[in-house]
């Protein structure tokens, strides 16, 4: 590895790189617990095995998480106990991480306590001490805006196709600093607990294509996804509509059989020349019976109506007499009681003598207004107010004497009309019963006719003899969606062909990585649906680390390609202990050697490892950790239970 170059001059700078990381035990500290200088190019954070130590549990993973914290990753501690251990540490709970971060050509100093979010601070001019003492203007919001402006807003597509979720900086950072806990299960599994995608099955792949410049316009992909959903919905709806007639056919058949009280196995119509029971035949017979019953009911109701009219005419004069007597009795009682208001009201009733004056009396066939007896009685109620009390005392006895024959006559008339009333009530009851029977028969006949009509309609649709308007409309919509889907697929192929050169460049970078590794002969990028979960490939396969190695090599190929003007990659990559997946030392150093021999000023690659670096890699070592003493731990002390040390 003696040919590895440690300093290659190139004016190209990564969009994002971290120059220094400081770890503080409090905001009042004058000196940091640890200052970690970093450079562009390859950076190694190492913890080789020591005396009775495997090199683990010293803080490599904690370093990665705290670095992500400084880069504004809201998920920096997810899947680990780091934040809880820091907050429950008596010595470190007031601590913070600070970093000098280069974003799009701007240099930022950022400070973030892990206890108080309101004390997150950043500045383009102040150092970490000034930020900790709050002696500088806080530009933290501007720092967040710079990350978005230089790393997200430069993307040609701002929303993920399919989900229409806005792309966030922390999603890109998740790709560039995948969790060790994810263990490289899949190229698109960047965080053990997810990366905040609303559509995790497809969004990571779309994000990678956008960042690499392989998806300059997401319109076609977005529309294609929309038509795919439309096609699925139309097909499901069409299947439901096509199955519905058969289901309804069975339902109507059961209803007919139950309504006609026949076996469910009875055929719907007669098959062949021989007579046998069938639903249509039985239904026709039942329909004729209903029609005959309706005719009979109508005739009986007409007969009852004639009888009722005759009895009403016979009862009419008796009822008129009863009404007149009742009114006279009530007027006399009101007069006797001195209730002139009730008298006035009764005089205005249609059955009163006052209202009947233009008519003739039955006894003498003369107008009631010419009858002296009637007029005298009326005059009793028309005396003036001054005479009312005296007249009332004089006529009360006369009124009471008059009531006795009136009441006897009223009782006689009521007794005479009682049989007529009973007969009319009986007629009304018979008519109500006939009305109910008529409605029931009419409804049953209509239901029978509707069921037969529905059966024939559903049978024609189920057998294909006819098509429902809904099915026809949906079939036309499906055909239109299929045509549009086909057009979009052709358009997508054209767009993919337009970036074929870009794909070849990234494939060439992947091929160069593969060629630098022992026993591998080729590498390429395949971002089609067939290789959805394995976009980067190398061959031939020859070890259990093959899958992890492909993922690492794919990340590195994207990093090396970040210098291309068509790429929107941040030029930053963080790998936590890649050799943990049983990768051989020779494979690890060959992989890192390929990075180190590249254009090192154009990107930043940070790797943690528990493997002792070869001599040629010593210049890339930025921090050496060990469990031999507390001073050699990342935070210069143990945090949390010893059985759960920082990784």
């Amino acid at each position: 590895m003696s040919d590895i170059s440690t300093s290659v001059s190139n004016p190209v700078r990564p969009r994002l790189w971290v120059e220094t990381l400081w770890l503080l035990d409090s905001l009042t500290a004058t000196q940091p617990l640890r200052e970690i200088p970093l450079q562009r190019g390859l950076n190694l954070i190492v913890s080789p095995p020591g005396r009775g130590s495997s090199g683990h549990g010293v803080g490599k993973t904690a370093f990665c998480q705290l670095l992500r914290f400084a880069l504004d990753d809201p998920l920096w501690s997810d899947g680990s106990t780091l934040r809880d251990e820091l907050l429950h540490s008596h010595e470190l709970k007031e601590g913070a991480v600070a970093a000098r971060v280069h974003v799009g050509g701007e240099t930022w100093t950022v400070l973030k306590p892990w206890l108080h979010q309101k004390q997150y601070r950043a500045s383009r001019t102040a150092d970490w001490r000034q930020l900790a003492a709050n002696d500088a203007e806080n530009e933290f919001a501007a720092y967040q805006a710079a990350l978005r402006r230089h790393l997200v807003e430069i993307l040609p597509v701002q929303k993920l196709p399919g989900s229409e979720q806005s792309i966030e900086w922390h999603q890109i950072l998740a790709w560039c600093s995948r969790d060790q806990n994810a263990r490289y299960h899949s190229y698109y599994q960047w965080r053990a607990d997810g990366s905040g995608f609303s559509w995790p099955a497809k969004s990571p792949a779309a994000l990678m294509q956008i960042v690499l410049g392989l998806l300059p316009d997401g319109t076609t992909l977005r529309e294609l996804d929309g038509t795919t959903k439309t096609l699925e919905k139309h097909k499901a709806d069409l299947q439901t509509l096509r199955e519905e007639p058969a289901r309804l056919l069975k339902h109507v058949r059961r209803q007919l059989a139950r309504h006609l009280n026949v076996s469910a196995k009875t055929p719907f119509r007669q098959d062949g020349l021989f007579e046998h029971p069938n639903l249509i035949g039985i239904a026709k017979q039942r329909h004729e019976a209903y029609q005959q019953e309706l005719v009979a009911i109508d005739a009986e109701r007409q007969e009852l109506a004639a009888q009722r009219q005759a009895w009403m005419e016979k009862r009419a004069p008796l009822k008129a007499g009863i009404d007149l007597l009742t009114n006279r009795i009530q007027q006399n009682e009101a007069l006797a009681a001195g209730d002139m208001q009730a008298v006035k009201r009764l005089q205005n009733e249609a059955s009163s003598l006052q209202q009947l004056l233009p008519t003739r009396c039955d006894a003498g066939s003369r107008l009631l207004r010419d009858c002296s007896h009637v007029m005298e009685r009326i005059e009793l109620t028309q005396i003036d107010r001054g005479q009312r009390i005296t007249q009332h005392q004089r006529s009360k006895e006369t009124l009471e004497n008059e009531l006795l024959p009136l009441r006897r006559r009223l009782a006689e008339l009521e007794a005479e009309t009682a049989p007529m009333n009973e007969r009319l009530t009986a007629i009304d009851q018979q008519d109500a019963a006939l009305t109910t029977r008529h409605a029931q028969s009419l409804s049953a006949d209509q239901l029978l006719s509707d069921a037969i009509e529905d059966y024939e309609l559903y049978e024609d649709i189920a057998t294909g003899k006819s098509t429902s308007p809904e099915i026809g409309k949906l079939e036309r919509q499906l055909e239109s969606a299929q045509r549009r889907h086909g057009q979009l697929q052709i358009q997508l192929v054209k767009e993919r062909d337009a970036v074929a050169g870009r794909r070849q460049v990234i494939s060439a970078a992947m091929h160069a990585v593969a060629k630098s590794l022992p026993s591998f002969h080729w590498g390429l990028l395949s971002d089609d649906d067939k290789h959805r979960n394995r976009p980067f490939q190398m061959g031939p396969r020859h070890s259990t680390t093959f899958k992890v190695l492909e993922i690492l090599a794919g990340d590195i190929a994207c990093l090396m390609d970040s210098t291309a003007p068509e790429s929107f990659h941040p030029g930053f990559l963080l790998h936590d202990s890649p050799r943990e997946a049983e990768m051989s030392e020779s494979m690890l150093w060959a992989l890192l050697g390929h990075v180190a021999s590249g254009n090192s000023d154009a990107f930043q690659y940070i790797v943690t490892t528990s493997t002792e670096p070869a001599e040629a890699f010593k210049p890339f070592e930025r921090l050496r950790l060990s469990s031999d003493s507390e001073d050699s731990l990342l935070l210069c002390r143990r945090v949390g239970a010893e059985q759960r040390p920082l990784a």
Side-chain angles (χ1 to χ4, degrees):
M1 293 292 181
S2 59
D3 60 337
I4 295 175
S5 173
T6 60
S7 62
V8 179
S9 177
N10 192 307
V12 178
R13 297 290 183 267
R15 291 186 175 89
L16 171 71
W17 68 284
V18 181
E19 183 179 345
T20 312
L21 192 72
W22 295 279
L23 305 179
L24 313 177
D25 58 3
S26 73
L27 296 182
T28 60
T30 57
Q31 295 295 325
L33 280 175
R34 190 173 293 283
E35 180 176 332
I36 307 168
L38 301 168
Q39 297 180 12
R40 296 189 295 272
L42 179 62
N43 297 262
L44 298 179
I45 310 298
V46 301
S47 62
R51 299 188 306 273
S53 169
S54 63
H56 302 302
V58 296
K60 296 190 301 298
T61 295
F63 164 82
C64 296
Q65 291 176 317
L66 292 171
L67 180 58
R68 285 164 37 192
F69 185 34
L71 294 176
D72 207 37
D73 182 359
L75 310 175
W76 67 279
S77 64
D78 282 10
S80 77
T81 59
L82 175 59
R83 186 173 185 273
D84 290 338
E85 290 173 347
L86 291 172
L87 293 178
H88 288 87
S89 170
H90 177 71
E91 298 171 311
L92 295 173
K93 64 181 180 180
E94 301 291 338
V97 62
R100 182 175 291 119
V101 183
H102 296 263
V103 184
E106 295 179 333
T107 302
W108 292 85
T109 301
V110 56
L111 182 140
K112 297 181 73 173
W114 35 76
L115 180 59
H116 300 295
Q117 182 176 348
K118 292 183 179 180
Q119 294 183 357
Y120 292 173
R121 300 165 189 165
S123 174
R124 280 169 281 200
T125 57
D127 59 24
W128 69 264
R129 289 181 177 84
Q130 292 172 299
L131 289 176
N134 201 18
D135 289 339
E137 180 185 357
N138 187 5
E139 299 181 276
F140 186 76
Y143 168 67
Q144 291 179 305
L147 289 170
R148 178 164 185 83
R149 183 172 65 255
H150 292 292
L151 303 171
V152 179
E153 292 177 1
I154 61 171
L155 300 176
V157 179
Q158 292 294 301
K159 291 187 177 181
L160 295 166
S163 68
E164 291 302 298
Q165 180 183 12
S166 295
I167 297 174
E168 302 291 344
W169 155 238
H170 72 83
Q171 295 164 339
I172 301 174
L173 180 59
W175 174 31
C176 298
S177 59
R178 46 177 88 235
D179 271 346
Q180 187 193 36
N181 289 338
R183 288 295 179 188
Y184 308 101
H185 292 162
S186 163
Y187 188 82
Y188 298 114
Q189 186 175 357
W190 305 331
R191 294 282 184 265
D193 296 333
S195 304
F197 291 111
S198 59
W199 196 7
K202 292 185 177 182
S203 291
L207 177 63
M208 186 196 78
Q209 290 179 335
I210 293 168
V211 171
L212 294 181
L214 295 172
L215 189 63
D217 184 357
T219 303
T220 302
L221 197 59
R222 224 170 4 249
E223 289 187 20
L224 189 62
D225 177 70
T227 57
T228 299
K229 293 178 180 177
T230 301
L231 283 174
E232 292 173 355
K233 184 179 185 304
H234 284 347
K235 288 178 180 179
D237 292 346
L238 193 58
Q239 181 67 21
T240 300
L241 283 177
R242 285 172 174 167
E243 292 174 353
E244 187 73 359
R247 186 185 66 80
L248 292 174
L249 194 64
K250 294 179 181 178
H251 173 72
V252 173
R253 184 187 183 91
R254 286 194 301 269
Q255 292 294 96
L256 266 175
R258 187 180 300 113
H259 188 74
L260 296 173
N261 196 24
V262 297
S263 171
K265 297 181 180 180
T266 305
F268 181 72
R269 57 172 55 85
Q270 179 177 332
D271 295 326
L273 300 176
F274 297 99
E275 288 282 347
H276 56 75
N278 61 86
L279 293 177
I280 284 289
I282 298 172
K284 288 181 177 179
Q285 294 174 4
R286 187 67 56 84
H287 174 69
E288 293 176 0
Y290 282 139
Q291 291 298 315
Q292 292 174 3
E293 184 176 9
L294 289 172
V295 171
I297 290 172
D298 285 338
E300 193 170 349
R301 289 179 68 188
Q302 291 176 4
E303 175 61 25
L304 285 175
Q307 293 180 21
R308 191 177 192 283
Q309 182 63 30
W311 282 106
M312 288 288 289
E313 291 175 357
K314 185 176 181 181
R315 191 188 65 170
L318 295 176
K319 188 175 183 304
I322 290 173
D323 292 343
L324 177 61
L325 285 172
T326 301
N327 184 272
R328 288 180 64 185
I329 291 171
Q330 291 175 347
Q331 283 193 49
N332 282 5
E333 290 173 344
L335 279 171
D339 188 352
M340 301 308 296
Q341 185 175 1
V343 172
K344 185 176 181 180
R345 175 180 57 77
L346 290 167
Q347 288 176 346
N348 291 328
E349 290 183 356
S351 57
S352 66
L353 280 173
Q354 288 80 356
Q355 302 301 319
L356 294 176
L357 287 176
T359 63
R360 295 177 178 273
C361 64
D362 293 333
S365 186
R366 58 190 301 183
L367 290 175
L368 292 179
R369 67 165 61 96
D370 298 331
C371 177
S372 59
H373 174 73
V374 171
M375 295 308 296
E376 288 176 2
R377 183 185 175 283
I378 292 174
E379 288 174 0
L380 289 176
T381 65
Q382 295 176 340
I383 58 178
D384 59 34
R385 187 170 182 177
Q387 297 175 322
R388 185 172 300 164
I389 296 175
T390 304
Q391 186 67 26
H392 172 69
Q393 294 295 330
R394 184 178 63 80
S395 62
K396 184 175 181 180
E397 183 177 352
T398 303
L399 291 171
E400 289 178 352
N401 291 334
E402 185 180 331
L403 282 173
L404 293 176
L406 291 176
R407 286 170 178 164
R408 284 195 297 270
R409 180 55 182 162
L410 177 62
E412 291 172 358
L413 291 177
E414 287 177 343
E416 189 175 351
T417 59
M420 300 179 186
N421 290 336
E422 292 175 359
R423 182 56 185 158
L424 285 170
T425 299
I427 290 173
D428 289 342
Q429 290 174 346
Q430 292 178 35
D431 185 69
L434 288 174
T435 300
T436 300
R437 279 179 54 198
H438 187 277
Q440 291 173 343
S441 297
L442 187 63
S443 176
D445 188 46
Q446 186 62 47
L447 286 174
L448 189 63
S449 299
D450 291 345
I452 294 172
E453 183 179 345
D454 289 344
Y455 187 95
E456 292 175 338
L457 172 64
Y458 299 143
E459 184 182 43
D460 288 346
I461 296 174
T463 56
K465 292 180 180 179
S466 65
T467 302
S468 72
E470 292 82 1
I471 290 179
K473 179 181 179 181
L474 197 54
E475 285 177 339
R476 291 189 295 273
Q477 291 176 345
L478 179 61
E479 290 174 2
S480 176
Q482 287 172 332
R483 285 194 300 271
R484 180 57 181 160
H485 188 73
Q487 293 169 353
L488 289 171
Q489 285 180 318
I490 295 172
Q491 179 65 25
L492 186 62
V493 170
K494 291 180 179 178
E495 292 179 3
R496 288 178 59 84
D497 290 342
V499 295
R502 180 84 188 104
R503 193 177 296 105
Q504 290 174 0
V505 170
I506 301 173
S507 285
M510 182 64 181
H511 183 70
V513 175
K515 292 284 287 183
S516 70
L517 303 178
S519 305
F520 285 96
H521 305 304
W522 56 266
L524 54 85
L525 166 67
S526 298
D527 59 340
D528 53 16
D529 288 340
K530 182 179 179 181
H531 303 93
R532 180 178 302 171
N533 294 318
R534 190 186 162 211
F536 292 99
Q537 302 166 45
M538 296 191 304
R541 302 187 181 191
H542 63 90
S543 72
T544 57
T545 62
F546 175 77
K547 183 177 181 180
V548 174
L549 196 57
E550 273 191 341
I551 293 173
L552 295 171
D555 283 353
I556 290 172
C558 295
L559 179 69
M560 305 289 281
D561 175 71
S562 65
T563 59
E566 298 84 3
S567 174
F568 303 97
H569 194 283
F572 172 85
L573 183 61
L574 173 63
H575 278 162
D576 185 14
S577 303
R579 207 173 87 78
E580 297 292 334
E582 302 180 0
M583 184 188 300
S584 66
E585 282 194 39
S586 61
M587 195 70 72
L588 173 66
W589 298 123
L591 191 66
L592 299 183
H594 179 74
V595 177
S597 63
N599 206 355
S600 59
D601 279 353
F603 52 78
Q604 184 176 52
Y605 182 33
I606 304 172
V607 182
T608 69
T609 179
S610 57
T611 305
E612 180 67 48
E615 191 64 30
F617 288 92
K618 294 294 185 180
F620 301 103
E621 185 178 311
R622 311 296 177 220
L623 176 65
R624 179 172 285 258
L625 301 172
S626 171
S627 59
D628 293 343
S629 66
E630 286 196 344
D631 288 344
S632 299
L633 299 174
L634 178 69
L635 293 166
C636 302
R637 66 203 69 192
R638 297 193 182 278
V639 180
E642 288 189 4
Q643 63 269 28
R644 293 188 304 162
L646 297 177

